[in-house]
Amino acid sequence: MGAVSRGTLRVYLGAAPGVGKTFAVLGEAHRRAERGADVVVGLVETHGRPRTAEQLAGLEVLPRRRVAHRGVVLEELDVDAVLARRPEVVVVDELAHTNAPGSRHEKRWQDVEELLAAGVSVLTTVNVQHLESLTDVVASITGVVQQETVPDAVVRRADQVELVDMSPEALRRRMAHGNVYPAERVDAALGNYFRVGNLTALRELALLWLADRVDEGLRRYRAEHAIDAVWEARERVVVALTGGPESETLVRRAARVARRSGGELLAVHVVATDGLTGASPTALRGLRELTESLGGSWHQVVGDDVAAALLEFARGADATQLVVGTSRRSRWARALRRGIGGSVVTDAGDIDVHIVTHAAAGSRGWRLPPLTGALTARRRWLGAALALAGVPVLTALCLAAGSAVSLPLVLLAFLLLVLAVALVGGLWPALAAAVLGGLAENWFFVSPTGRLTVTSPDDVLALGGGLVVAVAVATVVDRSARRATAAARSRAETAMLASLSRAVLEGYGDLPSLLERIREGFGLASVTMVERGSVVGTCGRPEGTAVDEVAVTDGLVLRWCGRVLPAADRRLLVAVAEQAAVALQQGRLAAQAAEADRLAAGDGMRRALLTAVSHDLRTPLAGIKAASSALRSGLALTDDDRAELVETVDESADRLTALVDDLLDMSRLQAGVVSPALAPTDLPAVVARALDELEDRSRVTCGWPADLPPALADPGLLERVVANLAGNAVRHAPTGPVTVRADALGDRVELRVADRGPGVPAADRERVFAPFQRLGDSPRGQGVGLGLAVARGLTEAMGGTLVAEDTPGGGLTMVVSLPAAAVPSPVPA
């Protein structure tokens, strides 16, 4: 029996809940069923939306797997039922969902992976806020930390990703019409998560993420089909920078070009052998910072031919436009040599080239081409041409001069010609010029003329000396060129090592970015750092097979795939890899330093604790001691006096208990040993128990919808959070009302504790959550200022957030946001 072919995965990606992902995936299921495919519904969440529920009609719906957890029955995808049914296509909603404890897999996307491996195709949905790489960005936009995530690689591996798009205004209209949430939840949702700004930002994230995935697919297709031509699917503007005075002008001009076309800006500096290596490191650093401030990326490559290196980089980046500056050389120099810009224009092919003028154009005078590289084939051909043309021309000139030119002058003229040929073309053209010149001298100017014979010993010495001088000069020129080449390469290597060293020393060179620089600089397909068999960093295309490796340290190995490196490049690669190893060690040291800082903060917390409790613990103890002493003294006390003393003991004991509880909770939070037992929790019941502890319960009013879903929380810890928040509100708003309300927003449940007190300035709202912080609003003896710190710590331990907001009309509102638990379905009798 043959191997089972893997199923296909189609993902419907949305920017926010309510855009119509589930409706779209069910529509696709109907279309496939009409075409004759065997389609079933494994799991779909309608969330009470009637139009979505209507889409289930006509489709086979498999039973769900029921899991009992802490007295609550949860429903999950029944993977075994799907495998037993073995349809062609199965619909599985909410790819990022976390399965109930005790399930075969922790995440639903792992269930989907098992179905795909078994040959079942899957249609599924996911929101952009659940993509793992975007959770921090989404949290900064919406203020909500997503607890359920799916790795980006899972969605990127999908055979198809379809964006279900809707404008923010249209989505808000859907919500206002009751097509997303029940009516009682619409106002809170529109005023919080579903604000126009939030939805616009989430929509942009979804579009950009999908565009990147499409771009990856395009690159993969072109690589698989060996397509080198540039496809203008997306504008990419590459700007070539020398580090000279014109570079800032070029960067800004290229940024404007990229901005107008909505494209991407890439700045590249070629560390080469023709003068571009002389740029100041400070200037290059300033250009990198300018490029990044304009939204571009900085790249540095090594190449002997600057024009070829630029074009190779541009084609590798799939660039559509290339910006270069006009030459700083004079007109005469440009007339004799076309320069980098001309070479780029000639060989650019499909890439549009912008030659940008600038103030420094033409500022350099003409000079001989510097011998800063090994003699190229072009120079050798020029030397040969000079030898072949120069000998006849010089012979004709000497013959035309007649007796006015003596033989020594003729020999000197031919010697100068040999020197010129040696300077231009090197050894072999100079030898050819020496031989041809010697034959011409012997035939036309040495007696007897017209014959290749020499009768005078002086003439023999002169001819031989000319040949020796030609060989000596040409040898010196060739050696100088080779040494200049080695020096230029050393400068290029030093520049690359200096750049990497600065990145490591200044802290912006993490291991992945350094590996990316290595990959770019050496033109490799992928680079991987391996430590004793485990990969610690990679870039490029990791699926490629490593063709070579070098040992960096005893435990680190650098592997790469791509071209075979020569010995000189391998030596440089080892030095560069050592910088990457330093970056790896630096990252680990930074982590250790962070841990040391955490321990130091803990020590500071303990010192502050001792300072704070020195008075705050004594106050309730003193009250208890005084009241109990009065009761035991045998004094004649009235019943009212005795009742008041007992009440004093009771209040002081309660205050002491609350203080000790806060101190213990803060110690557990600082030690990281809080382990919440998360379960579906009835929020109204928790609030009721917490409010029973308040002295002035009458001023607190509560409200929540009848269909409020349970929160995924630890009931005991949540009760402490609510008690601390409510007590803080009552204590700091001694006259006004305190309101406790709860509502559901998407996959979250929010609890709001609002007071009408003096409020807290926006600049101090984070400080109120710091331990031992009262902001001057509480006298000593009223607690050590741990209530809000403990509340936030316990909330975050349960996977939630706690923030402070203004109460409309004045006051402070504490907002607790927790994940909503799945609503259990009734178990049939």
Side-chain angles (χ1 to χ4, degrees):
M1 187 174 181
V4 177
S5 60
R6 182 180 175 85
T8 60
L9 176 62
R10 182 166 183 170
V11 178
Y12 287 80
L13 176 67
V19 296
K21 302 180 302 300
T22 305
F23 193 90
V25 79
L26 291 176
E28 176 64 18
H30 278 288
R31 286 190 290 273
R32 296 200 184 191
E34 291 170 359
R35 293 196 297 264
D38 182 14
V39 182
V40 301
V41 175
L43 188 144
V44 163
E45 298 289 354
T46 64
H47 298 290
R49 299 165 189 166
R51 293 191 60 192
T52 304
E54 292 172 1
Q55 285 285 90
L56 290 171
L59 294 174
E60 179 184 351
V61 181
L62 297 181
R64 302 186 184 188
R65 182 174 58 89
R66 289 181 169 84
V67 180
H69 179 67
R70 297 183 180 272
V72 179
V73 177
L74 306 175
E75 292 189 343
E76 301 290 354
L77 173 67
D78 194 335
V79 178
D80 292 328
V82 177
L83 293 176
R85 172 66 173 75
R86 195 166 291 277
E88 294 180 43
V89 183
V90 61
V91 178
V92 180
D93 204 5
E94 298 183 358
L95 183 64
H97 172 76
T98 300
N99 291 329
S103 300
R104 180 185 309 178
H105 300 123
E106 179 184 0
K107 295 285 188 176
R108 184 167 293 167
W109 64 263
Q110 295 171 317
D111 296 337
V112 169
E113 286 291 319
E114 183 176 350
L115 296 178
L116 293 173
V120 180
S121 297
V122 178
L123 304 176
T124 188
T125 65
V126 71
N127 280 328
V128 69
Q129 67 261 31
H130 295 298
L131 295 175
E132 200 166 73
S133 65
L134 299 178
T135 53
D136 55 340
V137 180
V138 173
S140 66
I141 294 171
T142 65
V144 178
V145 179
Q146 300 295 329
Q147 301 300 318
E148 294 186 328
T149 61
V150 59
D152 289 47
V154 174
V155 185
R156 290 188 184 278
R157 287 197 301 266
D159 299 273
Q160 295 181 22
V161 178
E162 181 172 328
L163 180 66
V164 183
D165 191 26
M166 180 177 290
S167 68
E169 294 77 9
L171 179 55
R172 286 172 61 85
R173 284 196 300 271
R174 287 197 65 199
M175 295 196 63
H177 294 158
N179 295 328
V180 179
Y181 290 149
E184 62 272 14
R185 296 168 56 189
V186 169
D187 290 340
L190 291 176
N192 292 275
Y193 191 89
F194 288 84
R195 293 193 293 266
V196 173
N198 289 359
L199 296 177
T200 302
L202 292 174
R203 188 187 189 199
E204 183 178 14
L205 280 178
L207 291 170
L208 291 175
W209 190 93
L210 188 60
D212 287 340
R213 183 186 182 275
V214 172
D215 189 57
E216 288 179 2
L218 178 62
R219 289 174 181 267
R220 190 182 309 113
Y221 177 86
R222 295 178 67 236
E224 291 172 354
H225 294 78
I227 299 174
D228 295 327
V230 175
W231 286 5
E232 299 185 14
R234 182 180 182 184
E235 290 288 345
R236 289 184 177 84
V237 181
V238 172
V239 55
L241 303 177
T242 66
E246 78 284 356
S247 296
E248 285 196 17
T249 302
L250 297 183
V251 172
R252 298 184 189 279
R253 177 63 182 274
R256 290 196 295 271
V257 172
R259 187 162 48 248
R260 285 197 299 267
S261 60
E264 181 182 355
L265 174 64
L266 301 92
V268 58
H269 172 67
V270 180
V271 183
T273 61
D274 60 354
L276 293 179
T277 55
S280 165
T282 303
L284 292 179
R285 179 180 177 182
L287 290 173
R288 176 180 59 81
E289 293 174 350
L290 175 62
T291 302
E292 293 174 352
S293 69
L294 294 173
S297 57
W298 175 266
H299 306 269
Q300 184 167 289
V301 297
V302 177
D304 292 328
D305 188 333
V306 177
L310 284 175
L311 291 173
E312 181 181 358
F313 175 83
R315 293 190 179 99
D318 207 17
T320 56
Q321 303 185 61
L322 179 59
V323 177
V324 297
T326 188
S327 176
R328 283 180 279 156
R329 298 177 300 140
S330 67
R331 294 180 181 178
W332 292 105
R334 281 180 279 175
L336 295 175
R337 186 181 178 197
R338 63 181 180 177
I340 298 171
S343 301
V344 169
V345 171
T346 302
D347 302 330
D350 296 332
I351 302 177
D352 296 335
V353 180
H354 302 264
I355 304 293
V356 178
T357 186
H358 49 84
S363 61
R364 288 168 53 186
W366 182 86
R367 59 185 178 186
L368 288 174
L371 298 179
T372 57
L375 296 180
T376 62
R378 177 173 174 270
R379 286 188 57 181
R380 290 195 296 271
W381 281 110
L382 286 176
L386 180 60
L388 294 176
V391 170
V393 170
L394 185 59
T395 301
L397 292 176
C398 291
L399 289 175
S403 60
V405 178
S406 63
L407 179 60
L409 290 178
V410 171
L411 296 179
L412 179 60
F414 275 95
L415 180 59
L416 292 176
L417 174 64
V418 171
L419 291 177
V421 173
L423 290 173
V424 174
L427 178 61
W428 296 108
L431 287 176
V435 172
L436 292 176
L439 293 176
E441 293 167 1
N442 187 289
W443 185 272
F444 293 104
F445 302 104
V446 177
S447 299
T449 59
R451 297 172 58 187
L452 295 176
T453 58
V454 181
T455 58
S456 172
D458 294 339
D459 295 337
V460 174
L461 182 62
L463 293 174
L467 184 62
V468 171
V469 169
V471 172
V473 172
T475 301
V476 170
V477 170
D478 189 75
R479 288 182 178 178
S480 298
R482 295 182 184 278
R483 290 177 180 176
T485 300
R489 179 178 180 85
S490 297
R491 288 198 299 273
E493 294 174 355
T494 302
M496 177 176 285
L497 289 174
S499 175
L500 293 175
S501 299
R502 286 195 304 274
V504 174
L505 292 175
E506 295 173 5
Y508 60 80
D510 57 347
L511 183 60
S513 63
L514 292 180
L515 292 180
E516 176 62 23
R517 293 189 184 194
I518 294 174
R519 188 191 67 80
E520 287 181 354
F522 289 90
L524 303 173
S526 69
V527 179
T528 303
M529 184 76 79
V530 181
E531 182 178 30
R532 292 191 178 94
S534 63
V535 176
V536 295
T538 187
C539 70
R541 300 191 297 273
E543 66 271 13
T545 303
V547 298
D548 211 342
E549 66 179 34
V550 292
V552 183
T553 64
D554 292 339
L556 284 177
V557 174
L558 188 74
R559 294 177 181 170
W560 70 89
C561 67
R563 66 188 183 95
V564 178
L565 297 179
D569 285 349
R570 288 176 65 91
R571 288 193 299 269
L572 175 60
L573 184 62
V574 171
V576 174
E578 289 175 350
Q579 295 294 327
V582 171
L584 176 62
Q585 184 63 24
Q586 185 182 60
R588 291 175 175 174
L589 291 175
Q592 294 175 4
E595 177 64 17
D597 290 341
R598 189 188 69 81
L599 295 176
D603 290 337
M605 176 70 70
R606 284 187 287 272
R607 288 194 298 270
L609 175 62
L610 292 174
T611 302
V613 302
S614 63
H615 182 278
D616 291 308
L617 279 176
R618 290 195 186 102
T619 301
L621 290 174
I624 294 173
K625 178 63 175 177
S628 62
S629 298
L631 290 171
R632 296 180 57 187
S633 64
L635 296 175
L637 300 174
T638 64
D639 292 340
D640 291 339
D641 292 337
R642 191 175 299 276
E644 184 178 354
L645 290 173
V646 171
E647 185 178 357
T648 300
V649 172
D650 189 53
E651 290 178 355
S652 299
D654 289 342
R655 186 182 303 171
L656 183 61
T657 300
L659 177 60
V660 172
D661 287 342
D662 283 344
L663 292 173
L664 291 176
D665 285 339
M666 182 53 64
S667 298
R668 292 165 58 204
L669 289 170
Q670 291 294 323
V673 296
V674 177
S675 300
L678 301 181
T681 302
D682 184 8
L683 199 55
V686 171
V687 172
R689 291 196 301 270
L691 297 182
D692 287 341
E693 302 177 8
L694 289 182
E695 298 177 3
D696 194 358
R697 172 69 173 82
S698 60
R699 289 200 294 117
V700 181
T701 59
C702 302
W704 38 72
D707 61 346
L708 181 69
L712 189 63
D714 184 311
L717 298 183
L718 184 57
E719 183 178 338
R720 291 296 316 283
V721 172
V722 176
N724 283 6
L725 296 180
N728 185 76
V730 171
R731 185 165 55 253
H732 295 94
T735 57
V738 174
T739 304
V740 180
R741 298 192 58 85
D743 209 335
L745 293 175
D747 57 354
R748 310 285 293 182
V749 176
E750 282 193 358
L751 176 72
R752 293 173 172 266
V753 181
D755 63 53
R756 292 292 182 178
V760 175
D764 292 333
R765 285 180 191 160
E766 282 302 310
R767 289 178 57 201
V768 301
F769 296 106
F772 315 112
Q773 179 59 255
R774 300 189 189 85
L775 296 181
D777 55 12
S778 179
R780 297 189 69 86
Q782 296 298 316
V784 292
L786 286 176
L788 294 182
V790 169
R792 170 172 276 190
L794 295 179
T795 302
E796 292 177 348
M798 293 184 289
T801 59
L802 173 58
V803 296
E805 297 179 354
D806 281 329
T807 301
L812 188 67
T813 299
M814 293 293 177
V815 183
V816 178
S817 177
L818 293 167
V823 179
S825 299
V827 181

